[in-house]
Amino acid sequence: MSAHRRARSTPLPNLLAWRALGFRTICSGRLGLAPSSPHSPAPAGTKILESFKEEFEVGSGVITLETGKIARFANGSVVLGMDETKVLSTVTCAKSNSPGDFLPLTVDYQEKLYAQGLIPNTYMRREGAPKERELLCGRLIDRPIRPLFPSGFYHEVQIMASVLSLDGKQDPDILAANAASAALMLSDVPWGGPIGVVRLGRIDGQIVVNPTMDELSSSDLSLIYACTRDKTMMIDVQAREITEKDLAAALRLAHPEAVKYIDPQIRLAAKAGKQKKEYKLSMLSEKTLEKVAELAATRIESIFTDPSKGKFERGEALDDIGKDVIKVVRSRMISDGFRVDGRHLDEVRSIYCESHHLPATHGSALFSRGDTQVLCAVTLGAPGDAQNLDSIAGPPKKRFMLHYSFPPFCTNEVGKKGGLNRREVGHGTLAEKALLAVMPPEEDFPYTVRINSEVMASDGSTSMASVCGGSMALMDAGIPLRAHVAGVSVGLVTDVDPSSGEIKDYRIVTDILGLEDHLGDMDFKIAGTRNGVTAIQLDIKPAGIPLDIVCESLENAREARLQILDHMEREINSPRVQDGTYSPRLATLKYTNDALRSLIGPMAALKRKIEEETGARLYFDDGTLTIVAKNQAVMDKAQEKVDFIIGREIVVGGVYKGTVTSIKEYGAFVEFNGGQQGLLHMSELSHEPVSKVSDVLHIGKYITMMCIDTDVRGNIKLSLKALLPKPEPKPASGPEKVPVVKDTVSVETSSLGETVASLPSVVEPPQKSKLAVPAVVIRTAVECDEAEKSSLVEKNAKPKRAATMKPDRKLKSTASKQTVTQKEVEVFKSTGPEETMANYGETLKKPSRKKKQSGDEAGESASVSARKLKIGTEMTAKVHQVRTHGLVLDLGGGIRGMYKFEGEEETEFEIGDALQVKCTSFTTKGIPVMALVDDEEL
């Protein structure tokens, strides 16, 4: 115990005791003096964190810059806040120079879900590799910062931007860029900043500075502008066909707003910044440059004045010459106005366009401009194929994607193809933004769309070639674009006064080559339609260029863009009609959630089975089923499976597929549409007479049929012959008869529970038929079996016409109940037996006339009574009425029967004709249904 106490009380040497030297905690990367006032001594063990803050306004928001509290060991660190959003940016620099001849600058942007109070939805519940948005935000910070490092500074520099807190109002990418600039100002790294970065939107024609994410969703412009106090550093634009004039005005408005970020950074650096350190710069002496120019100038000039040399010939020759090529190429452009391939400064390279290059894809196009060549392919998918962004800022999903690929062979190099590449992600996103402005809205075109842009050869501006090829491929896929989009890259060559740094002369170069991009001062990519600009990306190499030059370049790009659009529109100028084998299909169906659950099955087993058997893909949402198939045949197969499991609404005239479950002498019952039953009468099997149902059908047979009728009780009438071609009508024989006007109004009950009236019509008098095919009556299987077993009918019993009819199976399109009133019974008694059911949904009317039965007719056939009448009874009947669809027969004894015409049979009947008939069945209302007896049966 005593040894332990002595160990704790042993004082440290004075050289190791910070407080003995009068120092306190390291703050802001430097040592601070401890307070010496005896009146305010710091409590033992308490750290004093000195922080420095600047506060200012930009637009309608208040911005704060703070340093000293966190990340104190970094070379420079700043927390930038706006409302409740806070972003930390840090800077570190290697002590020694890197062996390369370039600046190894790395910018890492991180968005962790704790900033919004969320846990990652991954297996390990932690963030993984950088997402696409994080890579793009890192590029956004890198592009305006990199040109401001001094020439020859090759020390490795790393900038890390982390979102600490996010309130969901502001996109933190702009805040991170300004925080990175402030951190560089506080560090000892040599840098020519600061810069200011601002975002502008346009809502209802009014420019909005620092718009919120909700405001951006209704804005037709998203302009990101970075600058120093007097020069432009970077521009990034996404717009909906904004004119060049309006864009130039927005740029001039953005500059003073971005400058507001500069003075607070300078003030903060004066308070807490470090002294800039003297780093070793790897520079070539003037004497060395003069000697190389003297030895190589003539050879260089001969190479770049020979237009016959191609990309690789020039490259091989330049390998032996070195860096003096820069002086020759730039001076020739400025002095002579000619370029290495012999073009004028505003001349576009030769263009080749070809749509539908890949026949098995949904859409494709090949676009070539000079030696640059890009192959684009479009794939259409379901809404469920949209990309889940899983980001704390921006939309949660993206249904339009453009993926850009730059393989090593496109530049005749050997390289390793890895995962996500910052350059590929950046180029693909730029082309994606350019095309997004002309895509149809999701309500009109619900597909998810993916474009693959494969660079086949590269000699400059492959991202703009991806815009052109992608636009043609979208048209080839049948997507209704508002207009074609084309893109071109504009370069800049300047002559700078070395003493003052001012630009003495410059040339704007249209459609730059890869070498001109490497040796020039600007890469200004501009894409748009004939009506305006849709996307812009500006990258520069010097420490800024005047905004006037940027605005002048817009007009040069517009003229070149119109030339390219002419070539594209000659190849394809409207969406291609998709009717081939590889045309995708998408169907959206509405069901109850219970029905969808039965379709998914336990552990989604039924869903997977359907997808494996059909090749289609099923997606489920609240009450919605989306089916995506690669062609119409696959779609039909998938819908057939779905209909068989959960069914769909029965529609008269709809075509369905089902399985025969039972066979009766009068027809067959078919199960279809998710377990529903329908009657397929033998008269509906074929246009030709069928003697036995079993000659055509057997139990278990899978057939395609049409629904031709439904009734109030939920009975479904099916037909095979409705799908068969009708036979040619036979020529009429015998003298023509005068048309008979039928003024009888028949009354039936529709599936909507209403009374349906058939209006008077003019028809030809029917001819007699020799066919003994029974009339069609829709009855349930139980009713038919009971009728067959019944031998007699009660003598004095009357049909129960006033009883309430309750459906035994309810269809989606039928009413729940229907009651036959006593008034309707009287109508049926007076007008005779019922006619065929009226068409579904006709106008309902009451009968206007009633036929009265004469006493003579009632006295005939007195030997026939209701008790003796049964199925199979043959008798002689007289035609009492001729109707449009059949006959009302007088069976004697005041009994009326009905006979229905079959199809387009040629009949000729007159009132009073005697016919030999046979009772085949009874309707649900007790009315006998009769059939003619052939002469051979007599």
Side-chain angles (χ1 to χ4, degrees):
M1 180 68 68
S2 60
H4 175 66
R5 288 176 178 174
R6 287 195 300 269
R8 291 185 61 184
S9 62
T10 302
L12 291 173
N14 287 338
L15 292 176
L16 300 180
W18 288 97
R19 296 195 181 276
L21 296 175
F23 288 109
R24 63 181 181 185
T25 306
I26 300 176
C27 299
S28 304
R30 64 181 184 174
L31 296 179
L33 292 176
S36 58
S37 172
H39 301 289
S40 58
T46 301
K47 291 184 178 180
I48 300 175
L49 300 179
E50 185 180 10
S51 63
F52 303 92
K53 183 183 289 187
E54 285 291 329
E55 189 173 293
F56 56 99
E57 292 185 5
V58 176
S60 60
V62 178
I63 311 294
T64 60
L65 295 172
E66 185 177 5
T67 186
K69 265 191 181 178
I70 59 176
R72 296 176 292 112
F73 280 177
N75 202 322
S77 66
V78 168
V79 175
L80 189 147
M82 183 175 183
D83 295 332
E84 296 179 358
T85 298
K86 293 184 180 297
V87 179
L88 168 68
S89 287
T90 61
V91 174
T92 54
C93 181
K95 302 298 185 290
S96 60
N97 208 352
S98 62
D101 57 351
F102 64 95
L103 171 64
L105 172 64
T106 304
V107 179
D108 294 317
Y109 174 86
Q110 294 179 319
E111 288 180 346
K112 294 191 176 182
L113 295 184
Y114 72 79
Q116 232 181 5
L118 301 174
I119 296 176
N121 190 25
T122 60
Y123 179 76
M124 298 298 293
R125 294 298 186 267
R126 63 187 302 165
E127 287 80 7
K131 296 183 282 290
E132 184 176 297
R133 171 180 161 81
E134 293 175 323
L135 296 178
L136 293 173
C137 290
R139 281 176 54 87
L140 188 71
I141 300 170
D142 183 297
R143 286 159 50 198
I145 286 174
R146 185 179 292 270
L148 295 176
F149 286 93
S151 300
F153 181 77
Y154 299 149
H155 292 257
E156 186 175 2
V157 178
Q158 185 178 33
I159 298 175
M160 297 190 68
S162 303
V163 180
L164 304 179
S165 175
L166 184 67
D167 60 7
K169 297 178 182 178
Q170 290 288 333
D171 194 321
D173 54 357
I174 300 301
L175 306 182
N178 286 289
S181 172
L184 281 169
M185 291 295 294
L186 294 174
S187 70
D188 63 6
V189 178
W191 188 62
I195 64 169
V197 186
V198 70
R199 174 183 272 115
L200 266 63
R202 189 174 70 168
I203 302 175
D204 297 330
Q206 299 296 320
I207 297 296
V208 179
V209 180
N210 283 341
T212 63
M213 285 187 279
D214 291 337
E215 290 174 335
L216 277 177
S217 62
S218 59
S219 172
D220 62 356
L221 172 67
S222 177
L223 165 63
I224 300 176
Y225 182 84
C227 65
T228 60
R229 193 176 295 277
D230 55 355
K231 292 185 179 179
T232 302
M233 298 302 302
M234 186 269 295
I235 298 174
D236 196 280
V237 173
Q238 180 178 357
R240 298 174 188 169
E241 299 180 278
I242 185 173
T243 63
E244 281 77 6
K245 181 180 179 181
D246 292 346
L247 181 58
L251 291 173
R252 297 188 185 279
L253 180 61
H255 188 90
E257 294 294 331
V259 169
K260 293 179 181 179
Y261 285 92
I262 293 178
D263 288 334
Q265 296 180 48
I266 296 174
R267 293 195 300 266
L268 185 65
K271 295 177 184 178
K274 294 181 180 179
Q275 184 70 31
K276 294 299 181 183
K277 196 173 181 179
E278 294 292 334
Y279 285 90
K280 181 181 178 182
L281 303 182
S282 302
M283 302 289 292
L284 293 176
S285 63
E286 291 294 331
K287 184 181 292 186
T288 302
L289 292 175
E290 292 176 2
K291 186 174 182 179
V292 172
E294 182 180 348
L295 296 174
T298 304
R299 296 169 58 194
I300 295 171
E301 188 170 0
S302 64
I303 294 172
F304 289 99
T305 55
D306 186 1
S308 64
K309 291 185 180 296
K311 171 183 174 70
F312 297 108
E313 289 82 358
R314 288 195 300 269
E316 292 173 0
L318 290 175
D319 288 341
D320 300 329
I321 298 176
K323 296 183 179 179
D324 280 334
V325 66
I326 300 176
K327 288 187 176 181
V328 174
V329 174
R330 293 172 64 93
S331 62
R332 188 166 184 262
M333 285 186 185
I334 293 177
S335 60
D336 302 335
F338 284 94
R339 302 155 72 172
V340 295
D341 57 354
R343 285 185 294 148
H344 294 283
L345 297 179
D346 59 351
E347 186 177 349
V348 179
R349 288 174 286 178
S350 57
I351 295 173
Y352 173 78
C353 303
E354 179 184 342
S355 62
H356 205 63
H357 182 74
L358 305 175
T361 60
H362 296 165
S364 63
L366 183 67
F367 180 84
S368 298
R369 183 166 52 210
D371 291 333
T372 296
Q373 186 182 65
V374 170
L375 176 64
C376 291
V378 171
T379 306
L380 303 180
D385 290 327
Q387 180 184 0
N388 292 317
L389 298 179
D390 192 23
S391 175
I392 63 176
K397 290 188 177 182
K398 183 168 66 172
R399 72 179 189 95
F400 175 61
M401 301 160 281
L402 192 149
H403 295 155
Y404 169 96
S405 180
F406 192 89
F409 68 79
C410 70
T411 54
N412 195 27
E413 296 176 355
V414 177
K416 185 182 294 184
K417 186 63 178 172
L420 279 178
N421 179 281
R422 293 185 180 228
R423 180 180 180 275
E424 291 181 339
V425 171
H427 280 40
T429 302
L430 174 62
E432 180 183 296
K433 291 191 296 185
L435 295 170
L436 184 61
V438 297
M439 288 290 292
E442 187 174 1
E443 296 77 17
D444 300 335
F445 193 80
Y447 291 86
T448 295
V449 182
R450 183 195 184 203
I451 301 178
N452 283 85
S453 177
E454 305 291 335
V455 179
M456 299 288 107
S458 173
D459 190 14
S461 195
T462 53
S463 61
M464 295 295 96
S466 298
V467 173
C468 302
S471 181
M472 291 194 300
L474 291 172
M475 285 274 193
D476 184 59
I479 299 177
L481 299 183
R482 293 208 302 267
H484 262 313
V485 182
V488 68
S489 186
V490 177
L492 177 69
V493 178
T494 59
D495 183 10
V496 180
D497 186 351
S499 60
S500 62
E502 295 296 327
I503 298 177
K504 298 189 298 183
D505 198 2
Y506 67 91
R507 293 291 184 272
I508 296 175
V509 185
T510 302
D511 186 20
I512 57 176
L513 299 172
L515 181 64
E516 293 169 338
D517 181 13
H518 178 69
L519 301 179
D521 299 325
M522 178 180 75
D523 184 9
F524 195 10
K525 301 180 180 71
I526 306 171
T529 65
R530 292 187 179 275
N531 298 326
V533 176
T534 59
I536 279 180
Q537 180 176 297
L538 171 64
D539 295 319
I540 62 172
K541 294 176 184 175
I545 58 175
L547 185 57
D548 292 337
I549 297 179
V550 175
C551 296
E552 182 182 347
S553 304
L554 293 174
E555 184 60 29
N556 294 52
R558 190 186 72 86
E559 295 176 358
R561 188 171 74 243
L562 296 180
Q563 298 179 38
I564 300 169
L565 286 171
D566 290 339
H567 289 273
M568 295 168 57
E569 290 170 354
R570 281 197 291 267
E571 174 62 21
I572 181 170
N573 60 3
S574 62
R576 191 183 302 276
V577 178
Q578 297 293 311
D579 55 0
T581 307
Y582 302 101
S583 302
R585 295 291 184 268
L586 185 147
T588 302
L589 307 174
K590 296 291 184 180
Y591 293 98
T592 64
N593 288 328
D594 291 338
L596 293 180
R597 277 191 287 270
S598 65
L599 180 62
I600 297 173
M603 304 295 292
L606 190 54
K607 169 183 176 292
R608 289 195 300 269
K609 182 180 179 182
I610 296 175
E611 291 178 338
E612 291 171 0
E613 291 179 353
T614 64
R617 299 171 70 180
L618 308 183
Y619 299 89
F620 299 90
D621 201 353
D622 187 17
T624 302
L625 167 65
T626 302
I627 306 176
V628 180
K630 64 180 181 180
N631 53 42
Q632 189 60 47
V634 175
M635 174 62 73
D636 294 340
K637 192 174 181 181
Q639 285 187 327
E640 177 184 326
K641 293 280 186 182
V642 172
D643 291 345
F644 185 77
I645 296 172
I646 60 176
R648 51 179 164 145
E649 182 179 357
I650 298 296
V651 179
V652 175
V655 179
Y656 304 90
K657 294 184 179 181
T659 304
V660 178
T661 57
S662 64
I663 293 180
K664 305 293 181 181
E665 69 175 35
Y666 51 82
F669 286 92
V670 182
E671 182 178 345
F672 71 108
N673 199 46
Q676 292 181 303
Q677 292 273 349
L679 174 63
L680 179 59
H681 198 274
M682 65 184 304
S683 62
E684 295 294 334
L685 296 177
S686 173
H687 293 290
E688 302 296 330
V690 176
S691 59
K692 294 177 63 178
V693 179
S694 58
D695 293 342
V696 180
L697 302 176
H698 60 82
I699 295 177
K701 186 173 182 180
Y702 195 64
I703 58 175
T704 302
M705 63 274 175
M706 177 186 288
C707 174
I708 58 175
D709 209 348
T710 60
D711 68 8
V712 69
R713 302 184 64 183
N715 297 318
I716 307 170
K717 183 178 178 182
L718 305 173
S719 174
L720 283 180
K721 72 179 185 181
L723 299 176
L724 301 175
K726 293 183 179 180
E728 296 182 0
K730 297 178 182 180
S733 60
E736 294 185 359
K737 300 229 173 181
V738 179
V740 178
V741 179
K742 303 294 185 303
D743 57 357
T744 303
V745 180
S746 62
V747 179
E748 281 294 339
T749 306
S750 75
S751 60
L752 293 178
E754 300 170 324
T755 305
V756 181
S758 299
L759 298 179
S761 59
V762 179
V763 296
E764 293 291 333
Q767 297 179 354
K768 293 184 180 179
S769 173
K770 296 183 179 181
L771 300 179
V773 182
V776 179
V777 178
I778 300 175
R779 304 173 65 195
T780 64
V782 176
E783 290 174 335
C784 293
D785 291 339
E786 291 177 355
E788 291 174 357
K789 293 177 183 179
S790 175
S791 59
L792 293 174
V793 180
E794 293 294 335
K795 182 176 182 180
N796 298 324
K798 293 184 178 180
K800 297 181 179 180
R801 304 188 182 212
T804 300
M805 294 185 293
K806 298 182 180 180
D808 54 352
R809 182 172 65 248
K810 180 181 177 182
L811 294 177
K812 298 178 183 178
S813 61
T814 60
S816 59
K817 291 184 178 180
Q818 171 65 30
T819 303
V820 181
T821 63
Q822 186 63 33
K823 185 176 182 179
E824 292 171 345
V825 172
E826 298 301 327
V827 173
F828 279 112
K829 287 181 179 179
S830 60
T831 59
E834 63 181 8
E835 289 188 19
T836 304
M837 181 180 293
N839 289 335
Y840 182 85
E842 289 184 353
T843 307
L844 310 176
K845 295 184 179 179
K846 295 182 179 180
S848 58
R849 284 185 70 181
K850 297 182 181 180
K851 293 281 186 177
K852 292 187 178 179
Q853 183 176 333
S854 64
D856 296 338
E857 292 174 342
E860 295 181 2
S861 302
S863 59
V864 180
S865 65
R867 177 174 293 276
K868 292 182 180 180
L869 185 61
K870 61 181 181 180
I871 295 177
T873 301
E874 295 186 7
M875 66 189 71
T876 301
K878 289 186 178 181
V879 177
H880 179 66
Q881 291 180 2
V882 179
R883 303 274 185 92
T884 303
H885 301 291
L887 305 175
V888 177
L889 302 177
D890 182 5
L891 305 181
I895 301 175
R896 297 285 187 267
M898 63 178 293
Y899 169 73
K900 180 182 178 183
F901 298 146
E902 289 300 314
E904 298 180 358
E905 64 177 325
E906 297 180 2
T907 57
E908 182 178 357
F909 296 100
E910 293 181 354
I911 295 175
D913 285 350
L915 304 176
Q916 192 70 18
V917 296
K918 178 173 65 175
C919 179
T920 59
S921 64
F922 294 87
T923 69
T924 57
K925 300 176 182 178
I927 299 174
V929 178
M930 315 300 291
L932 298 178
V933 179
D934 290 339
D935 295 338
E936 298 175 357
E937 299 179 3
L938 297 176

